[in-house]
């Protein structure tokens, strides 16, 4: 059927607690949601770009403009997810903008066929074990309190944000408090190869991985670091496509991959990254961008694919939001249930959406 148009919806959603990483602190998120309207109905996608281009080059206002001025015109009245991916190919970059539109088109396409994201993508399990990402804190005691709380909630794995000056001491403290806890760290590109010897001081703590220690374009640097540090290197920001995943793997730059559909341009490409990693025997896990229930639902379905063998950052809605845009995702025995309804299997609550909406703009096809 034909595309009638895309609704862009900007919402402001507060975080239950500040989330600090090596590139800044967030206390609320401005999220751009995309609703695709076709003759078959509607579908939802979430753009994971932040308000500022500090995780990657994309940002909310830029993504909205790219969708309005460069992506939608290339769709014409087409609503086919594969044709959309093809139509977007001449546009360089902007994977998060592309992924938001692609997810909305895939949602309406699947709803019309009474097929869930999980069925479509190839989910092999009914629930996915949840890990949780813990920000940089003002003190080690505060960090230990936060970690104790998440462990008590049932999270299967803890990820600690690190940066120069907040790395060995907090990791040592958490490991001493929780000797058997699956534990990993994420540097969000904050180190350089000159820090190799320092990062090797994390090796005694039996971490699952060190995520993105170096800048996203430094594949060779990560390969050199991997030879100097015993803990496995995992890439996030560097992996923007299946081809780049294969390149990083064969060059020895990564032995575990964090998959985020928004970072790679959409769910179709995310599955290709999953498949390429599986072909190389490289395990993957599902990363997060503090998604609302709309993006979270689709991520949980993706995380149920066979090679997602490590707990991801698919935490409960309550990790970030007092009230989610959809029915909240709740931890059940440390796992999230994969939605079984058509499409993403969830829908935004009209009243909550209205309360959080800052602006909407309908773009006719
Ligand atoms: C604003 S930080 C977003 C990027 C970060 N994401 C997380 O740490 C997990 C966030 C989440 O739980 O969704 C990462 O680099 O992996
Ligand atoms: Mg990361």
């Amino acid at each position: 059927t034909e595309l009638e148009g895309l609704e862009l919806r900007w919402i402001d959603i507060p975080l239950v607690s500040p989330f600090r990483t090596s590139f800044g602190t967030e206390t609320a998120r401005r999220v751009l949601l995309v609703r695709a309207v076709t003759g078959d109905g509607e579908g939802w996608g979430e753009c994971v770009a932040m308000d500022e281009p500090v995780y990657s080059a994309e940002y909310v206002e830029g993504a909205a403009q790219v969708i309005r001025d460069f992506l939608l015109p290339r769709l014409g009245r087409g609503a086919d997810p594969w044709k959309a991916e093809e139509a977007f190919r001449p546009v360089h970059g902007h994977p998060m903008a592309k992924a938001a539109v692609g997810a909305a088109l895939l949602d309406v396409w699947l709803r019309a066929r009474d097929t869930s994201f999980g069925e479509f993508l190839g989910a092999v399990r009914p629930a996915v074990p949840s890990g949780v990402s813990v920000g940089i804190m003002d003190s080690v005691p505060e960090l230990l309190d936060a970690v104790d709380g998440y462990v008590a909630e049932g999270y299967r794995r803890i990820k600690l944000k690190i940066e120069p000056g907040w790395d060995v001491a907090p990791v040592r403290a958490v490991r001493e408090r929780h000797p058997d806890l699956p534990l990993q760290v994420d540097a969000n590109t904050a180190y350089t190869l000159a820090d190799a010897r320092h990062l090797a001081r994390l090796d005694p703590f039996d971490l699952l991985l060190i995520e993105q220690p170096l800048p996203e374009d430094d594949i060779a640097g990560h390969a050199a670091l991997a030879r100097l540090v015993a803990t496995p290197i995992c890439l996030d920001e560097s992996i923007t496509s299946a081809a780049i995943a294969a390149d990083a793997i064969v060059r020895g730059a990564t032995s575990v991959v964090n998959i985020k559909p928004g970072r790679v341009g959409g769910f179709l490409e995310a599955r290709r990254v999953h498949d390429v990693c599986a072909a190389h025997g490289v395990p993957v896990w599902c990363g997060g961008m503090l998604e609302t229930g709309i993006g979270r639902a689709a991520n949980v379905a993706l995380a149920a694919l066979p090679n997602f063998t490590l707990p991801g950052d698919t935490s409960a809605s309550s990790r970030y939001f007092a009230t989610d845009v959809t029915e909240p995702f709740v931890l059940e025995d440390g796992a999230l249930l994969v939605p079984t309804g058509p499409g993403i299997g969830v829908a935004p609550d009209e009243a909550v959406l209205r309360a959080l909406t800052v602006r909407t703009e309908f773009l006719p096809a």
Side-chain angles (χ1 to χ4, degrees), residues 8-365:
L8 301 185
R9 182 180 288 265
W10 288 254
I11 66 170
D12 274 351
I13 186 163
L15 300 183
V16 293
S17 59
F19 185 58
R20 184 176 153 196
T21 66
S22 64
F23 55 76
T25 301
E26 277 193 296
T27 57
R29 270 179 85 69
R30 164 80 43 105
V31 179
L32 178 67
L33 299 175
V34 177
R35 181 169 64 92
V37 182
T38 76
D40 285 336
E42 64 178 44
W44 288 89
E46 178 167 348
C47 180
V48 297
M50 297 171 64
D51 222 6
E52 291 185 314
V54 289
Y55 164 80
S56 67
E58 293 188 86
Y59 57 99
V60 171
E61 283 316 302
Q65 191 205 340
V66 166
I67 292 170
R68 181 191 309 115
D69 297 349
F70 309 122
L71 298 183
L72 181 55
R74 283 180 164 79
L75 284 181
R77 299 188 63 94
D80 177 275
W82 287 269
K83 291 200 175 82
E85 201 184 33
E86 208 43 48
F88 293 166
R89 216 168 287 288
V91 175
H92 284 230
H94 302 286
M96 295 173 177
K98 293 173 178 176
V101 176
L105 292 175
L106 192 53
D107 186 26
V108 61
W109 194 86
L110 288 170
R111 284 176 194 270
R113 290 157 179 79
D114 198 23
T115 306
S116 71
F117 253 60
E119 287 164 323
F120 169 73
L121 289 171
V124 293
R125 54 187 82 94
V128 298
S130 281
V132 65
S133 180
V134 183
I136 293 167
M137 304 257 171
D138 293 335
S139 71
V140 168
E142 199 179 332
L143 176 72
L144 290 174
D145 284 348
V147 169
D148 291 353
Y150 292 130
V151 171
E153 283 186 58
Y155 284 103
R156 305 285 190 79
R157 176 274 276 151
I158 294 287
K159 157 171 146 176
L160 303 177
K161 290 293 186 179
I162 61 170
E163 64 182 10
W166 178 267
D167 47 32
V168 175
V171 168
R172 175 187 296 114
V174 171
R175 178 51 80 212
E176 282 171 359
R177 174 83 73 107
H178 300 279
D180 303 321
L181 175 71
L183 185 62
Q184 64 194 56
V185 296
D186 185 0
N188 288 107
T189 76
Y191 295 85
T192 72
L193 190 53
D195 296 311
R197 191 179 313 282
H198 177 73
L199 290 168
R201 291 180 55 206
L202 294 171
D203 285 341
F205 302 119
D206 189 26
L207 298 180
L208 288 166
L209 54 92
I210 299 177
E211 185 180 347
Q212 199 70 45
L214 309 182
E216 62 267 28
D217 52 1
D218 192 1
I219 300 297
H222 283 101
L225 182 65
R227 292 191 289 273
L228 296 168
V229 168
T231 306
I233 301 297
C234 170
L235 293 180
D236 171 354
E237 288 89 334
S238 295
I239 308 299
T240 53
S241 71
I244 286 173
D247 180 60
I249 290 166
V250 300
R251 292 166 64 185
T254 190
S255 49
V256 185
V257 170
N258 165 333
I259 295 182
K260 294 176 178 177
R263 187 193 70 222
V264 301
F267 283 87
L268 300 179
E269 187 68 8
R271 184 170 52 183
R272 296 183 191 112
V273 176
H274 164 274
D275 296 346
V276 159
C277 291
H280 286 271
V282 166
V284 302
W285 53 280
C286 188
M289 292 297 287
L290 292 81
E291 287 92 343
T292 73
I294 292 173
R296 197 163 296 271
N299 284 351
V300 170
L302 177 71
L305 266 61
N307 190 38
F308 282 87
T309 53
L310 292 165
D313 285 343
T314 48
S315 47
S317 295
S318 61
R319 161 67 182 91
Y320 293 109
F321 311 119
T323 305
D324 201 339
V325 166
T326 65
E327 276 298 304
F329 279 84
V330 177
L331 230 45
E332 321 230 351
D333 188 28
L336 291 184
L337 293 175
V338 177
T340 55
I344 58 175
V346 298
D349 176 285
E350 289 299 327
V352 173
L353 210 50
R354 198 173 21 256
L356 300 178
T357 295
V358 178
R359 179 174 162 219
T360 63
E361 182 179 346
F362 186 75
L363 307 171

